[in-house]
C-alpha cells in the first residue's frame, strides 16, 4: 500500500496495553511507531468521562487526581471478565466497578445529577482505540480501517472476543488478534524472513515486565527458509503474574519516600507520591543515586535513594518473575514431551520495567544469555503487530502465526463427564468434530453445554455457554447422529456448531462469553487436573459405562421381551443373568460411582454383549422374515 494514497485505507498494528497503548505501521521501509502531533508515541490507556466529552491518553491521566472516579485506567484488567473474576483487581482501581448483564464487570461513572452511567470495558477500550485510529490516520495521511490488536497469550476466548468488540466499536475491522509475545518476536524479524540470520528452528523467551503485569512466554519459531514456505510461531508455554510489575516497585518506593503507609494520604497526595516514586524509579535505571524533592498537601519530601537500596527492595519482585520463568520452561518441556527444558536461543525484553539493570542482570543469569534489547521495550509489541498487519494485507510475505489454546475445550455428556474435542496446547486455528447421540427415547431437543478445563467432570471445569438443538424428530435413544464441531479461529475465538444428520437440523452456539478466567484460575485448573487425574479418569469411565450400559439394557431388554420364547432355554437363562448383573452394577454406580470397580463393570457389560449375540441373530432373522414378500 503506497503511503499517502488516500483512496486506500491503511492497516495498522495496535498494542492495547494495561498502562500504555501504541499504534504502528509497517511498509517496505519496515515497521515504525505512529506518534501523535506532538511526537509522543505512548498513549496512556486512560479515559476520563467528563460532563459532555471524553478525554483520552496523557490529558486524561494528568488530570486524574481532580476526578479519580471518572478517570478510568487499567481497563484491560476488566475486559471480558465477570465482576467475580475481577474481584482481586478491584482494590487497585480507584473507580467503581459494578455487575452488568450476565454478571459482567462494568464501570460505573458518576453523573452530574447524582446518578451513574454504566459503561462496559469494551466501550472504554474503544475510546482508546478510536484515539489511536485518529492518531494513525493523521500520521499516515489517510483513513485507517483495519487493525491487528495484541493480547496477552493467556487471554481466554471471552477476553479476546471483548478486545475484538472494542475494535468494532471504534470502527476498526480487527483482522487478527495476536499474542503479545508473538508480536515481540515478529518485531525482531525472527522467523518472518526478515531476519539477518537464518538458522532453522529457534526457541525464544519473551520476558514482558510492564506496569502492572508480568508475562513470560516460550515460543518456537520455524522460519520460512528451513524447508517451509511460511514461518511457524508456536507458543510452547506461558506463565506470569497478573499483579507484578512496575507498580509494585513504585509502591515500595512510595513507602520509602514517605517513611510510612501511603494509605493514610488523600487520593490527590497519593497520586503525586506515586508519580514522584515512578520518576525516581526511572532515574534509578540510569543513575546510582537519585534525589527526590517535592511537596504533598501536608508536607515536603526530601530524600535520596541509592540504587543498591532500591535493588534490595525489589529483589523479591524480580525473584518472583524468575520463578515464573522456571515454570514456563518446565511447561515448555511438557508441551514438547521432553524430559529437559528446551535450550533458549534468544530472550526478548518487553515492557518499560525491563530497562531496570537488576531485571536485565537476573534474566541474563537465569537464561545464560544476554537479553535482546535492541528494539525499544515499550514499542516492540506494537511494531510486531504492524509487521503482522502488513503480512495479512499482503505487504510482507512468509509468516504464519500459530498460537496455542490454553485450556481444553469440550462438551458435557450424559452423567456429567466432559468429552474433550480440542485438547490444551493445540495450535490455532484448530478444528475438531465428534459424534454424539441421545440417551432417552423420543428426545426432540438436545442441550449442549460447552466447557473449558482439564478435569474429567463438567462440575470441575468452567462452563463457557450452552445451546439447544431443537426440532429433532422423535427417535429411539442412540439413533440420532449428532455431529458437534468446534472451531477455534486464528484469533483463538471459539465457534461451536451441531448438526443432527438424520433430520438435518443445525444449531450454532452463540458464544456470548460473559466472563473470562484469570491466569491464577488457569494455573489452578491445570494443577488440579494433575492431582485428580486418576480419580477423574475412573469417574469419567464409570459415568460412560453407566450411560452405555443403560442403552444396552434397554435395547436388549426390549428384544428379549419380543423374542424370548424363540430363544433356547439355556441361552435365555444366561442372558437374563447377564442383564441382572449389569443392572446391579448400574444401580450401585449410580448410587456411588466410587463403590464399583471399573474393570469389573466393563467386564459385566462385555458379558452381556456376548450373551446377547444369539438374541441379535434371532432378531435379525425375524425381521428378515417379516420383510419377505408374501404370496
Ligand atoms: P509498560 O506497561 O510496558 O508500558 O511498562 C510501564 C512500566 O515501565 C511502568 O511501571 C514504568 O514506570 C516502567 N518504566 C518505564 N521506563 C522505565 C525505566 N527506564 N526504568 C524502569 N522502569 C521503567
Amino acid at each position: 500500500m503506497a503511503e499517502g494514497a488516500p483512496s486506500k485505507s491503511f492497516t495498522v498494528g495496535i498494542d492495547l496495553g494495561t498502562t500504555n497503548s501504541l499504534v504502528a505501521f509497517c511498509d517496505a521501509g519496515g515497521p515504525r511507531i505512529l506518534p501523535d502531533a506532538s511526537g509522543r508515541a505512548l498513549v496512556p490507556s486512560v479515559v476520563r468521562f467528563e460532563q459532555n466529552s471524553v478525554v483520552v491518553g496523557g490529558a486524561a491521566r494528568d488530570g486524574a487526581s481532580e476526578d479519580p472516579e471518572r478517570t478510568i485506567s487499567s481497563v484491560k484488567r476488566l475486559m471480558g471478565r465477570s465482576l467475580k473474576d475481577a474481584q482481586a483487581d478491584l482494590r487497585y482501581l480507584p473507580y467503581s466497578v459494578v455487575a452488568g448483564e450476565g454478571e459482567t464487570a462494568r464501570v460505573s461513572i458518576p453523573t452530574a445529577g447524582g446518578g451513574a452511567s454504566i459503561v462496559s470495558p469494551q466501550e472504554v477500550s474503544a475510546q482508546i482505540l478510536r484515539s489511536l485510529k485518529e492518531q494513525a490516520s493523521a500520521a499516515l495521511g489517510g483513513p485507517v480501517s483495519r487493525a491487528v490488536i495484541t493480547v496477552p497469550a493467556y487471554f481466554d476466548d471471552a477476553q479476546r472476543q471483548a478486545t475484538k468488540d472494542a475494535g468494532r466499536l471504534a470502527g476498526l475491522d480487527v483482522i487478527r488478534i495476536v499474542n503479545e509475545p508473538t508480536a515481540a518476536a515478529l518485531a525482531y524479524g525472527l522467523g518472518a524472513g526478515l531476519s539477518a540470520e537464518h538458522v532453522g528452528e529457534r526457541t525464544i523467551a519473551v520476558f514482558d515486565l510492564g506496569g502492572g503485569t508480568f508475562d513470560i512466554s516460550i515460543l518456537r519459531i520455524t522460519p520460512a527458509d528451513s524447508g517451509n514456505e511460511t514461518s511457524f510461531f508456536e507458543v510452547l508455554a506461558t506463565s506470569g503474574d497478573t499483579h507484578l510489575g512496575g507498580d509494585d516497585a513504585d509502591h515500595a518506593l512510595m513507602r520509602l519516600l514517605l517513611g510510612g503507609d501511603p494509605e493514610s494520604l488523600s487520593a490527590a497526595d497519593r497520586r503525586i507520591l506515586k508519580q514522584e516514586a515512578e520518576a525516581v524509579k526511572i532515574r534509578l535505571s540510569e543513575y546510582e543515586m537519585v534525589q527526590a524533592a517535592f511537596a504533598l498537601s501536608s508536607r515536603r519530601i526530601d530524600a535520596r535513594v541509592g540504587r543498591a537500596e532500591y535493588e534490595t527492595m525489589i529483589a523479591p519482585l524480580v525473584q518472583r518473575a524468575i520463578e515464573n520463568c522456571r515454570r514456563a520452561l518446565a511447561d515448555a518441556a511438557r508441551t514438547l514431551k521432553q524430559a529437559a527444558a528446551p535450550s533458549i536461543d534468544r530472550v526478548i525484553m518487553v515492557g518499560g520495567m525491563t530497562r531496570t539493570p537488576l531485571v536485565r542482570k537476573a534474566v541474563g543469569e537465569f537464561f545464560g544469555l544476554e537479553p535482546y534489547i535492541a528494539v525499544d521495550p515499550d514499542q516492540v509489541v506494537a511494531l510486531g503487530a504492524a509487521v503482522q498487519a502488513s503480512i495479512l494485507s499482503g505487504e510482507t510475505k512468509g509468516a504464519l502465526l500459530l498460537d496455542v489454546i490454553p485450556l481444553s475445550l469440550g462438551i458435557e455428556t450424559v452423567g456429567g463427564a466432559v468429552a474433550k474435542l480440542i485438547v490444551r496446547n493445540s495450535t490455532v486455528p484448530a478444528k475438531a468434530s465428534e459424534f454424539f447421540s441421545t440417551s432417552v427415547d423420543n428426545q426432540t431437543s438436545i442441550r449442549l453445554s460447552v466447557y473449558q478445563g482439564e478435569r474429567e467432570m463438567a462440575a470441575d471445569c468452567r462452563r463457557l455457554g450452552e445451546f439447544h438443538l431443537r426440532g429433532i424428530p422423535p427417535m429411539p435413544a442412540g439413533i440420532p447422529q449428532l455431529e458437534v464441531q468446534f472451531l477455534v479461529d486464528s484469533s483463538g475465538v471459539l465457534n461451536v456448531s451441531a448438526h443432527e444428520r438424520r433430520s438435518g437440523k443445525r444449531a450454532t452456539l452463540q458464544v456470548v462469553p460473559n466472563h473470562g478466567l484469570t491466569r491464577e484460575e488457569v494455573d489452578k485448573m491445570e494443577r488440579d487436573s494433575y492431582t485428580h487425574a486418576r480419580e477423574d479418569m475412573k469417574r469419567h469411565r464409570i459415568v460412560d459405562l453407566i450411560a452405555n450400559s443403560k442403552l444396552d439394557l434397554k435395547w436388549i431388554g426390549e428384544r428379549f421381551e419380543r423374542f424370548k420364547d424363540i430363544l433356547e432355554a439355556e441361552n435365555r437363562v444366561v442372558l437374563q443373568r447377564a442383564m441382572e448383573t449389569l443392572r446391579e452394577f448400574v444401580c450401585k454406580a449410580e448410587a456411588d460411582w466410587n463403590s464399583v470397580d471399573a474393570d469389573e463393570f466393563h467386564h459385566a457389560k462385555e458379558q452381556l454383549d456376548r450373551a446377547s449375540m444369539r438374541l441379535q441373530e434371532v432378531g435379525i432373522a425375524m425381521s428378515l422374515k417379516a420383510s419377505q414378500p408374501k404370496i
Side-chain angles (χ1 to χ4, degrees):
M1 212 180 291
E3 205 176 332
S7 56
K8 279 189 177 176
S9 70
F10 295 98
T11 307
V12 295
I14 292 177
D15 170 8
L16 185 60
T18 308
T19 325
N20 293 302
S21 297
L22 287 105
V23 57
F25 178 69
C26 179
D27 56 14
R32 63 180 190 277
I33 296 291
L34 301 174
D36 68 7
S38 16
R40 275 185 299 255
L42 284 178
V43 175
S45 305
V46 182
V47 180
R48 189 162 81 238
F49 290 86
E50 291 181 337
Q51 215 49 56
N52 298 311
S53 63
V54 178
V55 182
V56 178
R61 186 198 52 192
D62 297 344
S65 50
E66 296 147 29
D67 216 351
E69 291 181 323
R70 292 198 186 89
T71 306
I72 314 307
S73 55
S74 297
V75 78
K76 187 170 175 178
R77 291 186 183 277
L78 303 177
M79 292 283 278
R81 300 176 78 196
S82 71
L83 185 62
K84 192 164 144 262
D85 291 333
Q87 209 63 42
D89 284 311
L90 298 187
R91 68 193 182 95
Y92 298 96
L93 306 177
Y95 49 87
S96 160
V97 180
V98 296
E101 200 181 318
E103 294 301 307
T104 47
R106 299 283 163 102
V107 178
S108 169
I109 298 157
T111 52
S117 74
I118 309 295
V119 181
S120 69
Q122 288 89 324
E123 288 169 90
V124 179
S125 290
Q127 296 289 352
I128 301 166
L129 290 171
R130 202 171 290 128
S131 155
L132 293 168
K133 182 181 172 221
E134 282 163 16
Q135 182 170 318
S137 169
L140 291 168
V144 169
S145 60
R146 308 198 313 161
V148 166
I149 304 182
T150 58
V151 296
Y154 63 84
F155 251 31
D156 70 5
D157 187 55
Q159 292 165 298
R160 285 165 198 265
Q161 282 279 15
T163 306
K164 272 191 152 178
D165 291 344
R168 217 186 45 224
L169 289 174
L172 284 169
D173 175 12
V174 181
I175 55 171
R176 184 70 65 92
I177 296 283
V178 175
N179 287 340
E180 288 161 7
T182 308
L186 279 174
Y188 273 101
L190 293 171
L194 302 168
S195 175
E197 339 146 42
H198 294 285
V199 281
E201 202 170 270
R202 274 166 295 182
T203 309
I204 66 162
V206 180
F207 184 99
D208 180 352
L209 189 61
T213 57
F214 168 64
D215 295 302
I216 171 77
S217 312
I218 312 293
L219 306 187
R220 190 171 53 184
I221 309 174
T222 313
D225 57 348
S226 60
N228 307 298
E229 264 185 30
T230 49
S231 300
F232 292 96
F233 282 69
E234 269 178 90
V235 179
L236 298 177
T238 67
S239 185
D241 192 321
T242 48
H243 290 104
L244 176 61
D247 289 346
D248 296 293
D250 298 347
H251 290 142
L253 278 170
M254 280 164 80
R255 276 191 299 276
L256 182 80
L257 292 173
L258 190 70
D261 187 358
E263 288 301 312
S264 60
L265 297 177
S266 68
D269 273 355
R270 244 192 344 259
R271 275 184 196 263
I272 295 170
L273 182 61
K274 167 104 165 66
Q275 269 171 19
E276 294 292 335
E278 186 177 4
V280 167
K281 174 188 75 177
I282 290 173
R283 276 184 283 148
L284 278 169
S285 289
E286 216 178 317
Y287 304 102
E288 291 291 332
M289 183 64 70
V290 169
Q291 179 82 38
F294 56 95
L296 299 176
S297 62
S298 52
R299 56 184 274 206
R300 267 199 70 76
I301 306 271
D302 271 299
R304 274 160 69 81
V305 187
R307 189 187 282 167
E309 184 184 9
Y310 170 64
E311 289 188 343
T312 310
M313 242 166 41
I314 61 163
L317 302 174
V318 178
Q319 208 41 46
R320 264 165 68 197
I322 297 295
E323 283 316 312
N324 277 291
C325 296
R326 212 183 298 282
R327 280 197 51 198
L329 280 181
D331 283 352
R334 221 171 286 142
T335 307
L336 294 168
K337 299 193 171 55
Q338 292 176 352
S343 71
I344 301 295
D345 302 305
R346 298 273 182 274
V347 183
I348 296 179
M349 299 297 249
V350 180
M353 258 307 269
T354 61
R355 290 201 186 89
T356 309
L358 180 68
V359 172
R360 289 188 178 168
K361 182 162 161 274
V363 172
E365 279 172 7
F366 177 76
F367 288 102
L369 285 172
E370 208 39 55
Y372 257 38
I373 48 169
V375 180
D376 184 331
D378 288 324
Q379 303 188 348
V380 60
V381 169
L383 292 171
V387 170
Q388 178 63 11
S390 83
I391 292 167
L392 292 173
S393 52
E395 287 277 313
T396 308
K397 295 210 165 35
L400 173 72
L401 303 187
L402 280 186
D403 288 329
V404 294
I405 292 161
L407 287 168
S408 302
L409 298 163
I411 69 161
E412 183 181 7
T413 55
V414 62
V418 175
K420 297 197 174 99
L421 274 85
I422 296 183
V423 295
R424 177 172 187 267
N425 278 336
S426 303
T427 44
V428 296
K431 194 165 139 177
S433 62
E434 214 164 284
F435 280 94
F436 296 93
S437 194
T438 50
S439 54
V440 178
D441 282 342
N442 304 326
Q443 222 177 303
T444 55
S445 146
I446 301 173
R447 183 180 56 120
L448 289 145
S449 298
V450 180
Y451 281 85
Q452 185 177 38
E454 299 317 300
R455 299 281 299 274
E456 295 289 325
M457 304 306 291
D460 301 316
C461 293
R462 176 84 172 221
R463 203 171 75 145
L464 289 181
E466 71 168 33
F467 67 124
H468 288 84
L469 182 62
R470 297 182 210 278
I472 303 167
M475 283 181 258
I479 293 293
Q481 282 189 356
L482 183 68
E483 186 181 13
V484 176
Q485 189 181 75
F486 275 35
L487 177 74
V488 180
D489 70 18
S490 30
S491 298
V493 172
L494 170 68
N495 302 286
V496 187
S497 63
H499 172 208
E500 202 290 298
R501 306 242 289 196
R502 291 182 196 276
S503 60
K505 289 279 171 202
R506 285 176 189 277
T508 50
L509 172 59
Q510 293 160 349
V511 185
V512 189
N514 50 17
H515 46 245
L517 289 167
T518 63
R519 194 210 318 263
E520 285 75 14
E521 283 174 293
V522 172
D523 289 348
K524 182 172 181 305
M525 284 170 125
E526 191 197 338
R527 274 197 308 275
D528 284 355
S529 75
Y530 297 136
T531 320
H532 298 283
R534 194 181 290 270
E535 185 190 329
D536 276 4
M537 289 292 280
K538 178 181 174 189
R539 186 155 181 203
H540 193 157
R541 199 167 157 217
I542 299 274
V543 162
D544 285 350
L545 275 168
I546 295 174
N548 293 331
S549 301
K550 278 171 132 178
L551 271 179
D552 283 2
L553 283 166
K554 180 173 168 296
W555 278 77
I556 295 170
E558 281 169 10
R559 273 171 183 64
F560 183 74
E561 283 310 312
R562 273 172 68 193
F563 306 123
K564 63 182 174 204
D565 297 337
I566 311 167
L567 278 181
E568 298 78 8
E570 190 192 336
N571 209 284
R572 197 161 51 222
V573 175
V574 173
L575 189 53
Q576 267 177 314
R577 207 175 296 139
M579 283 199 284
E580 205 41 55
T581 310
L582 189 60
R583 224 172 265 132
E584 278 168 20
F585 267 107
V586 171
C587 280
K588 230 173 132 197
E590 280 193 318
D592 173 11
W593 65 271
N594 213 7
S595 68
V596 291
D597 181 281
D599 287 335
E600 286 174 13
F601 192 171
H602 182 78
H603 179 70
K605 186 175 169 298
E606 282 192 336
Q607 288 289 86
L608 177 62
D609 284 345
R610 229 167 284 133
S612 65
M613 247 31 145
R614 179 76 192 122
L615 177 71
Q616 283 175 31
E617 284 169 14
V618 170
I620 291 165
M622 295 307 285
S623 56
L624 277 177
K625 222 168 160 186
S627 62
Q628 302 278 303
K630 311 278 181 306
I631 11 176

